[in-house]
Amino acid sequence: MRPVGVPHTQQTKATFDGRLLVRLFEPAQAPGIFRELGVGEWHPIASRQHYFMVDAGSPDAGLELARKLMSAAEVAQLEPVLARQRSRKTEPNDPLFPRQWHLRNTGQSGGLPGIDLNCLPVWQQVRGEGVTIGIVDDGLQSTHPDLSPNLSDLPGWDWNDGDGDPSPGNLDEDIHGTQVAGLIAAREGNGIGVTGGAPRSQLVSLRLIAAPTTDSAEAEALLYLNDRLAVKNCSWGAPDGTGLLEGIGPLATAALQDAAELGRGGRGSLIVFAGGNGRGVGDNANYDGFANSPYTIAVGSVNDHGTQTSYGEPGACLVVSAPSGSSGLPRLTTTDLLGLDGAASGDYTTNFTGTSASAPLVSATLALMLSKNPQLGWRDAQEILIRSAVRNDPSDLDWQTNGAGLHFNHKYGAGLVNAEAAVVLAAQWQPLGDREQTAIERSNLDLSIPDNQATGLRVSLPVMAPRFRVEHATLQVQLTHDDWGDLHLLLKSPSGMTSLLAEPHSPAFGTTLNWTFLSVRHWGEPAEGEWVVELADRRFLNTGQLTRLKLELFGTFLPPERPALVGRTLPSGFELSFRGETGVTYQIQRSATIDAWETIVTLSGTGGESSYLDADPPAAQRFYRIVISTPGR
């Protein structure tokens, strides 16, 4: 049994065995009443003189008896006796867990209670079991006692030294990967140190960024054990504050797409990237080719008050945000290299910060989701994160709701990641359809960009794609400009939802811009209608020319709705009419029994009313229906 309208889960279900709790107005009447109703077994509740326990012997008999008792005038109250599984409210016995406000924020560090991963309720169901995560970083210390229980038997690799030992090489510098790993999968309940967000997931170390790396090495790391590593955490990216649009090489670009489309037997590897720490120098996550890729999950950061961190970059490509430290505010507590200065004899740190610390909390959430539902695809996972995220910092003026009812903020993406809500949604998720795309291009524009004007250029990009539901939107922009850091670039969908893709900042080197910007802010919106690009030069002195725009929308085609079929009797037969969509093929069928159907005609929709005359139909053919034959585009 479960409450009406509530999903049937382990947490909501209750078991009824036929026993009923009955309260009588007059306890002395109990023998006569129960005898009259045929109750074979009953007894008074010792501490409550008006209450009696009645046992009907079975659930069905109990329901029947309940109906009789409810109609008896002597009965004041009736309740079924239900058995429910209560949740254990224990918490990890790891001594540093109380300092891990990012897992459970009660305000212990002066922050806002509830600004955390919200993963403790999930641990009653899953803790990351069966999910293996690649830590693409500067190495992972396999001997750390809080990490070693969760090390996978799968081999790691070291691209910096070219061998199979991906442990940290320089113990004074290579601390990053071990700190990241602890936030994901430090073992809980072992009486030492800390716990991770998915404390029973497995880890594989992929040492890549301890030294300068190459396009080919990055591609190999991103594709390493692609069928076995469900999640790869990449708490790194382009350098901040260079003034450059930091693209990624052709091999790594292809590797990201292959990982998403081919990983995990076609369901896709989930590759998580830090959104970047360059807010103070005007950087934007959209300027980093890794965070700006539709095949990655770009993560922003919030402090323990739920507001933007001092360094966290905004971006239309941010999917969600997760906790991290901030200037003058508490940082995160996690594993550290053994023996370093820090908490608990130097094996832990209370000083981890940056979007590097936020990304692994999203990786941990993904592990919990996959532990609950291993069949999730890479796009499914992104949409679940978006739909389940919490709208943190609600007074911030940048929040905007798109045409599909989803909320976004350039500072936070869809909001603060919420592990409990994500796992609940994952458990009942229906997979998205096949990924499709539609595009519109405007080349040879040769439009002058007015100098120092707030409005600038407005270019319309009409999209004719009925029933296309957007997931990722990319805009390729080609222009020349003496200082592209003067530019304000905005993409607006037909619903009015806006994506700020670039804004004035310094430095911004290069006079030629050829860059593809990503936005997830239009997720779920219909594609059809007028999309608009607004490009303005908002600082004095420099000028430029816009030459080309290409808008690509990735998502799914939704099936057309089956129209109503209307019939009327004419002297010449039975006329059927409907209003079908252009390009969609329909079949009109008839039947005598509704068990077997005969197709009598196939028609194409016109956007208006179509009709068919069934001349002199057999008397037995009494039923008609219309079905979609070919959905069309």
Side-chain angles (χ1 to χ4, degrees):
M1 303 181 72
R2 68 182 186 276
V4 175
V6 175
H8 193 122
T9 68
Q10 191 67 30
Q11 286 68 45
T12 62
K13 75 175 185 180
T15 303
F16 176 57
D17 63 3
R19 290 182 296 165
L20 302 166
L21 182 64
V22 182
R23 183 167 72 89
L24 300 179
F25 289 110
E26 296 294 338
Q29 297 176 340
I33 295 171
F34 293 147
R35 188 182 309 111
E36 179 182 345
L37 295 175
V39 177
E41 183 178 340
W42 60 274
H43 61 84
I45 303 297
S47 58
R48 294 290 184 266
Q49 63 174 342
H50 286 265
Y51 285 87
F52 299 84
M53 184 68 69
V54 173
D55 191 349
S58 71
D60 288 341
L63 293 175
E64 181 61 32
L65 178 58
R67 293 188 185 97
K68 295 178 181 179
L69 288 168
M70 288 172 63
S71 62
E74 298 86 352
V75 175
Q77 184 180 359
L78 175 69
E79 297 286 343
V81 177
L82 302 177
R84 297 180 176 89
Q85 178 63 57
R86 298 303 186 186
S87 298
R88 300 174 179 87
K89 298 301 183 181
T90 57
E91 63 181 43
N93 64 1
D94 309 83
L96 293 177
F97 172 74
R99 302 188 68 162
Q100 293 187 280
W101 64 266
H102 61 277
L103 297 181
R104 190 184 64 177
N105 188 349
T106 61
Q108 68 267 44
S109 301
L112 180 64
I115 300 298
D116 53 39
L117 195 59
N118 193 26
C119 60
L120 267 67
V122 174
W123 289 353
Q124 304 298 326
Q125 305 175 50
V126 291
R127 301 189 183 192
E129 297 89 344
V131 181
T132 306
I133 301 169
I135 307 298
V136 187
D137 218 286
D138 61 7
L140 188 166
Q141 192 171 54
S142 60
T143 56
H144 198 295
D146 235 357
L147 298 175
S148 57
N150 285 343
L151 288 183
S152 171
D153 292 334
L154 296 172
W157 189 255
D158 184 342
W159 281 268
N160 299 137
D161 293 336
D163 58 36
D165 180 11
S167 300
N170 186 332
L171 298 186
D172 292 326
E173 297 181 3
D174 296 348
I175 61 175
H176 194 259
T178 299
Q179 295 174 340
V180 165
L183 291 177
I184 297 174
R187 179 60 72 96
E188 97 293 351
N190 57 3
I192 61 171
V194 296
T195 181
R200 294 300 172 103
S201 57
Q202 296 284 293
L203 301 173
V204 173
S205 178
L206 308 178
R207 188 167 183 257
L208 177 70
I209 63 167
T213 186
T214 64
D215 180 32
S216 61
E218 291 169 356
E220 289 178 16
L222 292 169
L223 287 175
Y224 186 78
L225 294 178
N226 206 25
D227 277 345
R228 305 294 297 278
L229 301 183
V231 181
K232 287 191 174 82
N233 187 89
C234 304
S235 287
W236 47 272
D240 299 320
T242 65
L244 299 172
L245 290 169
E246 293 279 354
I248 55 180
L251 297 178
T253 299
L256 285 175
Q257 184 170 354
D258 287 347
E261 295 179 347
L262 305 176
R264 289 192 305 132
R267 293 186 297 275
S269 297
L270 311 180
I271 301 182
V272 179
F273 266 88
N277 302 334
R279 176 188 176 191
V281 291
D283 253 348
N284 186 296
N286 278 111
Y287 308 157
D288 180 336
F290 289 103
N292 189 55
S293 169
Y295 304 107
T296 68
I297 297 171
V299 178
S301 61
V302 301
N303 57 39
D304 69 338
H305 288 72
T307 57
Q308 188 179 20
T309 57
S310 53
Y311 50 79
E313 296 177 18
C317 62
L318 293 179
V319 177
V320 288
S321 291
S324 189
S326 191
S327 177
L329 294 174
R331 300 185 174 192
L332 303 196
T333 300
T334 182
T335 49
D336 205 349
L337 296 186
L338 298 175
L340 288 187
D341 292 338
S345 301
D347 299 343
Y348 301 88
T349 180
T350 59
N351 204 36
F352 195 29
T353 188
T355 52
S356 283
S358 300
L361 298 181
V362 172
S363 292
T365 301
L366 292 169
L368 297 173
M369 290 161 51
L370 291 175
S371 191
K372 188 68 175 179
N373 183 356
Q375 301 304 314
L376 294 175
W378 66 280
R379 293 155 46 234
D380 299 326
Q382 289 198 32
E383 181 156 341
I384 288 171
L385 288 175
I386 288 169
R387 289 190 173 277
S388 59
V390 174
R391 184 172 168 175
N392 60 294
D393 194 10
S395 63
D396 187 89
L397 298 180
D398 190 65
W399 285 108
Q400 191 176 1
T401 302
N402 72 11
L406 299 175
H407 50 71
F408 289 92
N409 188 306
H410 288 93
K411 302 178 183 71
Y412 309 119
L416 174 63
V417 66
N418 183 337
E420 182 183 26
V423 169
V424 169
L425 198 54
Q428 57 193 10
W429 188 256
Q430 295 299 314
L432 296 170
D434 293 340
R435 189 175 190 245
E436 308 277 0
Q437 71 181 94
T438 185
I440 180 171
E441 182 175 356
R442 298 285 301 275
S443 57
N444 302 318
L445 288 171
D446 196 27
L447 297 174
S448 296
I449 305 170
D451 184 39
N452 197 28
Q453 290 191 13
T455 54
L457 299 175
R458 185 182 187 276
V459 182
S460 175
L461 299 172
V463 173
M464 301 296 293
R467 304 186 314 280
F468 191 88
R469 177 183 183 271
V470 177
E471 293 165 9
H472 300 99
T474 65
L475 181 70
Q476 185 179 4
V477 181
Q478 291 183 10
L479 58 81
T480 58
H481 198 279
D482 295 334
D483 184 352
W484 74 270
D486 291 356
L487 301 179
H488 181 274
L489 176 64
L490 192 77
L491 174 67
K492 183 183 295 185
S493 72
S495 76
M497 182 66 172
T498 58
S499 291
L500 181 59
L501 303 177
E503 54 189 326
H505 67 285
S506 296
F509 298 116
T511 58
T512 300
L513 179 71
N514 183 5
W515 189 257
T516 300
F517 296 90
L518 166 70
S519 175
V520 297
R521 291 168 55 85
H522 306 285
W523 200 290
E525 290 194 311
E528 190 166 42
E530 184 188 33
W531 293 71
V532 174
V533 174
E534 297 178 0
L535 179 64
D537 180 331
R538 293 193 171 178
R539 295 196 299 205
F540 184 61
L541 284 180
N542 299 296
T543 59
Q545 298 283 121
L546 174 65
T547 56
R548 179 173 176 266
L549 293 171
K550 183 178 182 181
L551 175 66
E552 288 188 277
L553 304 175
F554 299 85
T556 56
F557 281 97
L558 301 177
E561 293 185 7
R562 186 168 63 176
L565 188 64
V566 179
R568 61 174 179 161
T569 302
L570 300 176
S572 54
F574 194 72
E575 185 184 55
L576 299 135
S577 60
F578 67 96
R579 186 176 295 273
E581 295 183 29
T582 303
V584 180
T585 303
Y586 302 90
Q587 292 180 351
I588 296 179
Q589 300 176 343
R590 65 186 180 187
S591 172
T593 64
I594 73 171
D595 293 323
W597 292 89
E598 169 197 7
T599 298
I600 56 175
V601 70
T602 298
L603 299 172
S604 295
T606 62
E609 187 168 292
S610 300
S611 62
Y612 173 75
L613 180 66
D614 188 13
D616 194 24
Q621 303 292 341
R622 301 176 181 175
F623 302 99
Y624 292 89
R625 72 179 185 184
I626 188 168
V627 298
I628 297 169
S629 176
T630 305
R633 292 288 166 84

